[in-house]
């Protein structure tokens, strides 16, 4: 009986030992097997010393309680750079913030050579941003950001290479200006737009004057074109329902009438031209058909012509004036008749 009980005790002890070994094996297997994700790499420390190259993605085994596996993320990390206040090269105070994109290319150096590579990259980015603000002018910060982004990326990438980190790109997000500078820039832009508008208007007036000069030359070659233009202007003025008709007089006609107005002593005033009362054809007055014109001998300037010539010119001038007055009266009468017809229709 004692032998049987002792045998059973030995068997139970052996079972306990086997069970303990199984438990220890499971614990050891759990501590020795590690899974490395696709975007990660594993760095193994054996007794606090790097043993080999980084572990590739998948399941890997280490020595329990002796090895330690550090995982490093190889994905691109997006880190915002806090807004930095600085003074530009042209003495303008600005606040600039940016964003940086970087990734780890050497997991071993990122773990061994720097304590916290993300903190280190962030501090270098802030320092470089303040430096690039001081080296640049305000116009470059506002208009030439691509070159500044490239320069900022190079400045950050120089120390980051020793940490196994690659700077993918750096982007300046916003440039905050003082309110006084914003108002000054607004006034400058407004003045520039006003200057452009004035230049455009002046250019248009220059082109219009050139065209008018060409039109004047064409009308000078063809006198009838001036009369057609006069009639066209009258039609344009009378197109609307106006009660007033504006009838312009040529300047040449006024000068002709002034030169042929009879004086108080029965003589005619001397014309400003050297030919006296010649048939110049101004306004189609018909004064060229007088006896003085056909005689072939013109009176000298500043002297009065003969009495017969003066009487003939005065009679012709009076006839011309009477004809123009009758034409004006007919025009005014026609205009009043049209206005009365319109008022009767409205009534």
């Amino acid at each position: 009986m004692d032998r049987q009980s002792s045998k059973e005790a030995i068997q139970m002890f052996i079972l306990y030992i086997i069970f303990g070994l199984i438990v220890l094996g499971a614990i050891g297997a759990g501590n020795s097997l590690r899974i490395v994700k696709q975007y990660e790499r594993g760095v193994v420390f054996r007794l606090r010393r790097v043993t080999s190259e980084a572990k590739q993605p998948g399941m890997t085994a280490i020595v329990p309680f002796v090895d330690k596996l550090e995982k490093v993320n190889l994905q691109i990390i997006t880190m915002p750079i806090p807004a930095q206040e600085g003074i530009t090269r042209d003495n303008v105070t600005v606040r600039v913030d940016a964003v940086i994109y970087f990734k780890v290319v050497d997991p071993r150096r990122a773990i061994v050579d720097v304590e916290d590579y993300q903190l280190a990259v962030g501090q270098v980015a802030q320092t470089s941003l303040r430096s690039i603000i001081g080296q640049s002018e305000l116009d470059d910060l506002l208009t030439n950001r691509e070159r500044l982004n490239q320069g900022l990326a190079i400045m950050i990438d120089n120390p980051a290479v020793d940490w196994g980190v690659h700077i993918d790109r750096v982007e300046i997000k916003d440039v905050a200006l003082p309110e006084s500078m914003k108002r000054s820039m607004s006034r400058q832009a407004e003045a520039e737009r006003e200057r452009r508008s004035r230049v455009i208007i002046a250019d248009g007036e220059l082109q219009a004057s050139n065209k008018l000069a060409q039109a004047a030359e064409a009308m000078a070659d063809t006198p009838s074109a001036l009369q057609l233009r006069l009639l066209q202007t009258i039609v344009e003025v009378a197109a609307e329902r106006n009660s007033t008709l504006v009838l312009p007089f040529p300047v040449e006609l006024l000068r002709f009438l002034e030169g042929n107005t009879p004086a108080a002593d029965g003589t005619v005033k001397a014309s400003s031209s050297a030919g006296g009362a010649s048939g110049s054809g101004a306004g189609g007055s018909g004064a060229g058909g007088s006896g003085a014109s056909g005689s072939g001998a013109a009176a000298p300037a500043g002297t009065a012509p003969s009495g017969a010539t003066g009487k003939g010119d005065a009679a012709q001038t009076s006839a011309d004036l009477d004809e123009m007055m009758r034409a004006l009266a007919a025009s005014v009468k026609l205009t009043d008749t049209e206005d009365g017809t319109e008022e009767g229709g409205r009534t």
Side-chain angles (χ1 to χ4, degrees):
M1 190 69 181
D2 294 336
R3 291 179 180 179
Q4 187 176 1
S5 60
S6 61
K7 188 177 180 179
E8 292 178 355
I10 293 172
Q11 292 177 354
M12 292 296 296
F13 180 72
I14 294 173
L15 290 176
Y16 288 148
I17 293 175
I18 294 173
F19 180 75
L21 292 176
I22 293 174
V23 172
L24 290 176
I27 295 175
N31 290 328
S32 62
L33 297 179
R34 294 288 187 273
I35 297 177
V36 180
K37 297 179 181 180
Q38 181 65 35
Y39 54 86
E40 293 178 339
R41 296 295 182 270
V43 180
V44 178
F45 289 87
R46 179 167 294 173
L47 299 178
R48 300 297 179 180
R49 183 178 181 180
V50 179
T51 57
S52 60
E53 295 295 331
K55 297 294 183 179
Q56 297 299 318
M59 182 177 292
T60 182
I62 60 176
V63 179
F65 308 107
V66 177
D67 294 345
K68 182 180 180 181
L69 182 67
E70 293 286 345
K71 298 179 182 179
V72 181
N73 192 340
L74 300 184
Q75 291 178 316
I76 294 179
I77 301 175
T78 303
M79 177 184 295
I81 303 176
Q84 303 296 315
E85 185 172 355
I87 301 177
T88 61
R89 193 165 61 181
D90 50 354
N91 299 325
V92 179
T93 303
V94 295
R95 287 179 60 87
V96 182
D97 58 348
V99 60
I100 181 173
Y101 304 89
F102 65 95
K103 64 179 179 179
V104 177
V105 294
D106 190 348
R108 182 174 179 177
R109 299 179 68 178
I111 294 295
V112 176
D113 294 348
V114 62
E115 180 180 3
D116 188 349
Y117 64 89
Q118 294 189 14
L119 178 62
V121 170
Q123 294 299 319
V124 171
Q126 295 181 28
T127 305
S128 301
L129 182 58
R130 286 195 295 268
S131 177
I132 207 72
I133 291 173
Q135 297 175 5
S136 305
E137 295 183 356
L138 180 61
D139 293 340
D140 294 335
L141 290 175
L142 297 176
T143 60
N144 198 7
R145 292 190 181 183
E146 187 65 26
R147 184 178 62 83
L148 296 180
N149 292 336
Q150 295 176 0
L152 188 58
I154 293 174
M155 293 179 63
I156 301 174
D157 192 59
N158 287 333
V161 171
D162 298 332
W163 305 331
V165 177
H166 171 68
I167 305 300
D168 188 70
R169 64 184 305 171
V170 181
E171 295 287 344
I172 295 177
K173 293 172 60 178
D174 185 28
V175 179
L177 301 176
E179 294 298 329
S180 59
M181 180 58 63
K182 291 181 180 179
R183 290 192 294 268
S184 300
M185 294 178 66
S186 177
R187 289 194 298 268
Q188 179 183 359
E190 184 178 357
E192 179 65 20
R193 288 193 296 269
E194 185 177 357
R195 182 188 68 84
R196 292 179 182 178
S197 64
R198 290 183 178 180
V199 169
I200 293 173
I201 293 173
D203 191 14
E205 291 180 354
L206 177 61
Q207 295 179 7
S209 63
N210 293 333
K211 295 297 182 181
L212 288 175
Q214 296 176 6
E217 293 178 359
M219 289 183 178
D221 296 338
T222 307
S224 60
L226 184 60
Q227 301 297 330
L228 294 176
R229 181 58 181 166
L230 177 61
L231 295 176
Q232 183 181 1
T233 304
I234 296 174
V235 171
E236 291 178 357
V237 172
E240 299 294 334
R241 296 181 178 179
N242 298 326
S243 59
T244 304
L245 179 62
V246 179
L247 184 61
F249 285 93
V251 179
E252 290 80 1
L253 179 59
L254 295 178
R255 290 177 180 175
F256 174 77
L257 296 177
E258 181 182 1
N260 291 275
T261 302
D265 55 354
T267 61
V268 181
K269 293 182 180 179
S271 175
S272 60
S273 61
S278 62
S280 62
S285 61
S290 62
S293 175
S295 63
T303 61
S306 62
T309 304
K311 292 180 180 180
D313 291 340
Q316 184 65 29
T317 303
S318 300
D320 292 340
L321 288 175
D322 291 340
E323 184 178 357
M324 284 189 296
M325 292 302 294
R326 286 194 297 270
L328 286 176
S331 300
V332 172
K333 183 177 181 181
L334 179 61
T335 304
D336 294 338
T337 304
E338 291 179 355
D339 294 339
T341 304
E342 291 176 0
E343 291 179 359
R346 288 195 296 268
T347 303

